[in-house]
Amino acid sequence: MMMGKTFWIWLAWFVFLMVLNFTVPFTVLSDVPHLRGSFLFWVIWGAVAIASMFVMFLGWRESDPSAQRGPS
Amino acid sequence: MSSGGYAWTILAVYVIVGIGIAALARRQMGGGMNEFFLANRQLGGFVAALTYAATTYSAFMMVGLAGLTYKFGVGALGFELTYLGGLVLVVFFGPRFWLVGKKCDYLTHAQLLAERYQNRWVGIIAALLCLVFLVPYAAIQLMGIGYMLSVISEGAISLTIAMVFATVLSVVWANIAGLRSVAWTDALQAAIMLVSAAVTLGFLVYRGFGGFEPFLGRLNTEVPKLLAGPGLLKFNVFFGLALPWLFFSLSNPQVTQRLFVPRSVTAFKQMIGGFLIFGFVYTLVSVIWGFGARLLIPDLPAADQATPYLLALPIIPKLVALIVMVGILAAAISTIDSILLSLSSMVSRDLLKVGFRADISEKTELKIGKWVVVTLAVVFLVFASWAAGKSGLAFMIAPLSAAAAAGLLMAVPALIGAFFWRGATAAGALSSMIAGALVVLVLQFTGTKPFGLWPGVWGLIVCVILYVGVSLVTKPPTEKADAFIGYLEENLPKYKFI
């Protein structure tokens, strides 16, 4: 399936987010024994991921079902 | 009135209201498989969001996730939010499921796979994977209910009685009007889950600690080890738990089936958006709850008992504790009845009709599906009774959930490939699912973790290698692949789907 530029940008963004998710608390924040460490990181990380998804799907729109014609 | 008396009274109210809602849903019910298992693909966005939330979030959250936080600390938050971040898979694949589901009248993802790969065995194996791995997942819901009701009611409701009660209720709500009654009761249950958990958290923080500031201060000073880095979760454990969770939204049939049901694009958007907000709040509440338990009752013998013991403390008013108990019960039942419906649709459609008896009528198929609901419920109950007697990490609710998710993960490469890779073959899909599942089962039962990596990680490595490798040396169903992927290429832009 041919994927557009938008797809690759979002894919790169979410791969980046996942890399942060699996590395930052285990490295940069491993010596921060405080709520301002990993707890705050993951809360912000979650909020950013969710906001990104809203941006992704808010542009969807209804289509005229009668206009759909595909191979059977 | 005694604790047991209050508990049974509140449960009776919950059951009566739930049955009333299910009966209302039945008034709108038509006939046939699509109607019973998919609510005729006509769910509105609000109900779709709440049923997605209630189905996804189970007793695991306020019992298992709270227990995981109690034992390991902040890594539990990262683990659960990884799942929520993985919902981008629904944003991406959801519209694809929805479009081909409507066009080809798919009832399950196994049916989609069988047709896409032009091989009924692909559907049969995908359905069997779900059957094998969802039994422990459903059973832990019953265990969660059992633990909690027996403690909160101070023994008035035994573990076994609680599990039987939940099983019977799940079967009744699933059979009254299929997905329609499940979705409507789910909407009620999701509201109970979130509101009761948030209100009780307020009591915990203000009556247990004197407010948020003292609570957070005590966390920083008394349990710093649970806050540093990922807490006490080592990377391999975190990765082993989080990886299957990341793909949960594609691997679990009870949630993939919900990708077929929104009645419009607007309803689909509302479903995803509503669920994301619900999930974020519910995750935070459950994790903070687990931290609160760690500070107030630090020496529990089993982490899974953190929530029931917390609810039994005098700082939580008895009535509030009982309402939370119903909230957790609701979370578990809403997951169990959805799993029952989903698995029974797979048995009747993928194993029976597509698999071996194409000639059976839709009426017979539906009748069999309804009986499978009852049979599977008994299997869940037997497994839960057995597992509830065990102890130790292997039988903690969270790892058992992750183990189930690890097995289900083995169908994900074949699913993703179905939408993208014209060269993917039935042999690749079959070998990847079978070998991956065997690896997970062997490692899980022997307790082996080569190089410290969990079963799901090894299973996925084997699964992906076989899927790609075998597909490259076998012949793909080119005509079907072109039609399937071509249809999506033509129609996705019409809705501005990515």
Side-chain angles (χ1 to χ4, degrees):
Chain A
M1 177 178 263
M2 293 294 289
M3 304 308 301
K5 189 178 165 188
T6 315
F7 166 79
W8 293 109
I9 292 171
W10 280 119
L11 181 66
W13 172 241
F14 271 91
V15 168
F16 172 68
L17 284 181
M18 282 300 161
V19 170
L20 291 182
N21 178 45
F22 284 103
T23 55
V24 172
F26 295 88
T27 53
V28 182
L29 300 173
S30 62
D31 293 322
V32 185
H34 200 280
L35 285 165
R36 284 196 300 263
S38 298
F39 186 87
L40 184 61
F41 166 80
W42 266 317
V43 170
I44 293 172
W45 183 90
V48 169
I50 289 169
S52 303
M53 285 182 248
F54 268 87
V55 174
M56 286 175 81
F57 70 72
L58 281 179
W60 296 352
R61 62 176 169 78
E62 304 289 350
S63 172
D64 176 10
S66 62
Q68 291 178 61
R69 280 196 181 77
S72 56
Chain B
M1 194 185 282
S2 66
S3 290
Y6 280 121
W8 281 116
T9 306
I10 288 183
L11 285 177
V13 172
Y14 164 68
V15 171
I16 290 166
V17 172
I19 288 178
I21 288 175
L24 280 176
R26 190 180 171 86
R27 285 181 171 185
Q28 294 194 359
M29 192 171 82
M33 292 287 282
N34 257 328
E35 172 60 47
F36 190 79
F37 289 110
L38 296 181
N40 209 23
R41 303 177 200 271
Q42 288 297 316
L43 281 192
F46 181 72
V47 173
L50 291 177
T51 186
Y52 198 107
T55 300
T56 298
Y57 293 125
S58 54
F60 169 76
M61 293 297 280
M62 287 292 283
V63 181
L65 185 64
L68 203 66
T69 309
Y70 179 96
K71 188 168 178 127
F72 296 108
V74 71
L77 174 67
F79 156 65
E80 189 60 34
L81 286 179
T82 302
Y83 160 69
L84 215 51
L87 216 77
V88 69
L89 294 167
V90 167
V91 178
F92 190 70
F93 288 99
R96 287 160 171 78
F97 272 86
W98 185 69
L99 280 173
V100 296
K102 275 200 303 183
K103 179 174 184 292
C104 304
D105 208 25
Y106 294 139
L107 193 67
T108 69
H109 78 252
Q111 188 186 1
L112 182 155
L113 287 172
E115 197 169 311
R116 164 65 181 80
Y117 288 104
Q118 296 287 285
N119 186 315
R120 67 190 169 114
W121 284 101
V122 176
I124 291 170
I125 296 298
L128 286 175
L129 267 187
C130 295
L131 276 168
V132 169
F133 287 102
L134 276 175
V135 170
Y137 186 70
I140 61 170
Q141 308 304 323
L142 293 175
M143 288 162 60
I145 293 170
Y147 280 137
M148 198 196 49
L149 260 69
S150 59
V151 174
I152 301 296
S153 67
E154 295 168 359
I157 303 173
S158 72
L159 193 135
T160 305
I161 294 286
M163 294 200 296
V164 171
F165 172 78
T167 306
V168 171
L169 207 51
S170 300
V171 171
V172 169
W173 285 354
N175 265 333
I176 285 182
L179 184 64
R180 223 175 263 280
S181 51
V182 165
W184 284 33
T185 51
D186 274 0
L188 165 77
Q189 298 188 102
I192 295 173
M193 284 157 60
L194 192 60
V195 172
S196 65
V199 168
T200 317
L201 184 67
F203 276 100
L204 169 77
V205 169
Y206 284 93
R207 293 181 70 170
F209 301 94
F212 262 101
E213 208 171 319
F215 170 58
L216 300 179
R218 279 186 63 182
L219 269 179
N220 282 325
T221 54
E222 292 180 29
V223 288
K225 281 185 181 171
L226 296 185
L227 300 175
L232 302 179
L233 273 181
K234 290 183 177 155
F235 180 77
N236 62 330
V237 180
F238 180 83
F239 192 67
L241 288 171
L243 185 70
W245 232 235
L246 178 62
F247 291 98
F248 184 100
S249 58
L250 281 188
S251 61
N252 278 250
Q254 73 276 20
V255 286
T256 56
Q257 213 160 33
R258 271 153 180 73
L259 304 179
F260 293 132
V261 301
R263 66 174 165 227
S264 64
V265 174
T266 305
F268 210 126
K269 289 159 71 170
Q270 289 168 343
M271 178 177 83
I272 299 176
F275 171 72
L276 283 170
I277 293 167
F278 185 107
F280 192 59
V281 174
Y282 200 45
T283 298
L284 285 175
V285 168
S286 302
V287 167
I288 294 172
W289 182 254
F291 275 129
R294 181 61 185 245
L295 292 177
L296 292 176
I297 34 173
D299 300 315
L300 286 176
D304 286 342
Q305 292 179 353
T307 291
Y309 276 89
L310 200 56
L311 288 175
L313 291 179
I315 57 166
I316 309 289
K318 193 50 98 187
L319 186 64
V320 174
L322 289 170
I323 292 171
V324 175
M325 176 192 78
V326 173
I328 299 173
L329 181 69
I333 289 178
S334 59
T335 299
I336 297 168
D337 58 12
S338 296
I339 291 175
L340 282 174
L341 266 188
S342 200
L343 289 182
S344 58
S345 68
M346 290 182 129
V347 170
S348 53
R349 174 60 54 91
D350 302 306
L351 296 186
L352 193 64
K353 190 175 174 76
V354 177
F356 300 103
R357 289 287 305 273
D359 58 326
I360 60 167
S361 69
E362 189 169 343
K363 196 176 169 187
T364 308
E365 194 186 1
L366 183 57
K367 198 173 175 182
I368 290 168
K370 288 180 177 177
W371 275 108
V372 174
V373 168
V374 180
T375 311
L376 281 172
V378 174
V379 174
F380 293 171
L381 187 59
V382 170
F383 188 92
S385 303
W386 169 74
K390 309 283 178 184
S391 62
L393 184 70
F395 279 90
M396 267 180 65
I397 286 174
L400 209 49
S401 301
L408 295 171
L409 182 60
M410 301 309 127
V412 169
L415 258 179
I416 292 177
F419 289 105
F420 290 104
W421 191 19
R422 284 180 161 87
T425 69
L430 279 171
S431 56
S432 67
M433 287 191 288
I434 293 170
L438 287 175
V439 168
V440 169
L441 282 173
V442 169
L443 294 181
Q444 196 69 42
F445 276 110
T446 57
T448 315
K449 295 186 180 70
F451 302 104
L453 295 177
W454 278 43
V457 182
W458 283 113
L460 190 62
I461 291 170
V462 170
C463 182
V464 171
I465 291 173
L466 280 173
Y467 179 63
V468 175
V470 174
S471 288
L472 286 174
V473 296
T474 47
K475 190 175 180 321
T478 311
E479 194 178 330
K480 182 65 193 179
D482 283 339
F484 188 94
I485 295 174
Y487 174 75
L488 289 173
E489 284 174 340
E490 185 183 343
N491 285 279
L492 286 166
K494 291 179 183 170
Y495 299 84
K496 296 201 170 181
F497 291 142
I498 292 171

